[in-house]
Amino acid sequence: MRNTAKITTAVLAAGALTLGLSACGAGSSDTDGPLIVAASPTPHAEILTYVKDNLAKKEGLDLQVKEFTDYVTPNTATQDGSVGANYFQNKPYLDDFNKKNGTDIVPVVTVHLEPLGLYSHKVKKADDLKSGATVAIPNDTVNEARALKLLAANGLITLKGGVGNEATPSDITKNPKKLKFKELEAAQTPRSLDDVDAAVVNGNYALESDLKPAKDALVLESPKNNPYGNFLAVKKGQEDDPRVKKLAGLLTSPEVKKFIQDKYDGAVLASF
């Protein structure tokens, strides 16, 4: 999930009749109708389209994929029934969204992680970073905390106990290499690699920049028990919709795992 996506306006329905028909097809009132899933274009809609084209028909699932470029409309559309589910976000983001908007959207199944990795054009190993090295990190709240936790998990820094998803460099308690941090928009971190000693880069931006996380990253997030995994989500109460259950099973199938491995070359990791 990208945390620097542009916010756009989507017109979801025109008139009560149209909205009613849309909700009927997407929501719980007609579990025999199509399941419309809101998704970000990459990799979420691509994964869903693979399921739609290769797996859904065999399970009797009429799956429709609706792409959104922002991180607000997929949740509001799921809440009001214009779509039956969404696939684009992680738990810290959803928790914050529900709290701020009074929504009650819940995760169904975690599918993948877009791992953060530490990259460098100047050193081959994280331990080779020199004293006073400059490391670029994303400047948005969630990804900055993730970046710092990644560095801490690999012994480059120590964060104060109990620090959450709002960690900043001010929460560093030990910095043996005296690393300096350059806070940039997440999309800019891979472009900074010639100007800094290392940079923490999101998986999707690594993919766009021809970085191969599995090969090029000095250190890389693990998908195991990772709170930033992206999941299929529905409005609370819709978890038992048989269409949702079918999709959840297909999204965590061996076929989808292989598709993710083959297509994304480590920039997206299956979480199952």
Side-chain angles (χ1 to χ4, degrees):
M1 169 186 174
R2 303 183 188 183
N3 290 282
T4 55
K6 295 180 180 178
I7 301 300
T8 60
T9 302
V11 179
L12 298 173
L17 178 60
T18 303
L19 180 58
L21 291 172
S22 174
C24 181
S28 61
S29 59
D30 180 12
T31 57
D32 293 325
L35 177 65
I36 304 173
V37 183
S40 298
T42 304
H44 311 79
E46 293 172 346
I47 294 171
L48 287 168
T49 298
Y50 170 80
V51 170
K52 177 177 183 288
D53 293 344
N54 296 277
L55 306 174
K57 187 176 181 180
K58 296 176 185 178
E59 295 297 323
L61 175 64
D62 184 356
L63 177 63
Q64 297 182 12
V65 184
K66 190 168 186 177
E67 294 186 14
F68 292 87
T69 57
D70 71 280
Y71 281 175
V72 175
T73 315
N75 275 337
T76 57
T78 302
Q79 183 71 23
D80 70 22
S82 300
V83 300
N86 67 55
Y87 173 34
F88 76 100
Q89 64 194 321
N90 59 45
K91 192 66 162 55
Y93 177 83
L94 177 59
D95 288 346
D96 183 66
F97 188 94
N98 279 335
K99 182 178 179 181
K100 290 180 177 176
N101 295 278
T103 48
D104 57 351
I105 297 165
V106 296
V108 176
V109 65
T110 301
V111 181
H112 80 265
L113 174 75
E114 295 165 29
L116 265 70
L118 179 68
Y119 299 85
S120 177
H121 286 171
K122 299 178 181 177
V123 299
K124 298 293 186 181
K125 297 186 298 182
D127 288 344
D128 292 339
L129 287 170
K130 296 180 180 180
S131 179
T134 299
V135 179
I137 58 176
N139 65 0
D140 62 283
T141 302
V142 171
N143 281 322
E144 183 168 63
R146 287 177 72 184
L148 294 172
K149 289 178 180 179
L150 174 66
L151 298 178
N154 288 276
L156 292 170
I157 60 172
T158 301
L159 293 170
K160 66 183 179 183
V163 69
N165 294 314
E166 297 182 354
T168 69
S170 65
D171 295 306
I172 296 172
T173 57
K174 293 182 182 179
N175 186 359
K177 287 183 176 288
K178 298 180 174 59
L179 299 177
K180 300 173 183 176
F181 297 97
K182 188 172 185 178
E183 297 167 295
L184 301 172
E185 288 188 9
Q188 298 297 322
T189 56
R191 302 171 196 172
S192 73
L193 281 168
D194 289 331
D195 303 316
V196 298
D197 297 291
V200 178
V201 182
N202 290 72
N204 54 304
Y205 293 128
L207 191 65
E208 292 175 6
S209 302
D210 295 323
L211 294 169
K212 298 185 181 349
K215 297 177 182 178
D216 298 334
L218 307 183
V219 297
L220 194 66
E221 274 185 324
S222 168
K224 187 176 181 180
N225 299 321
N226 193 301
Y228 302 105
N230 285 198
F231 46 70
L232 180 70
V234 297
K235 185 178 180 179
K236 189 174 182 179
Q238 303 304 311
E239 303 95 316
D240 292 330
D241 184 320
R243 300 167 303 169
V244 171
K245 286 187 171 182
K246 285 181 182 178
L247 180 57
L250 294 175
L251 282 172
T252 53
S253 65
E255 293 89 345
V256 167
K257 178 175 280 191
K258 186 176 187 304
F259 172 78
I260 290 173
Q261 291 171 339
D262 291 347
K263 183 172 180 63
Y264 299 110
D265 198 22
V268 178
L269 301 174
S271 296
F272 54 92

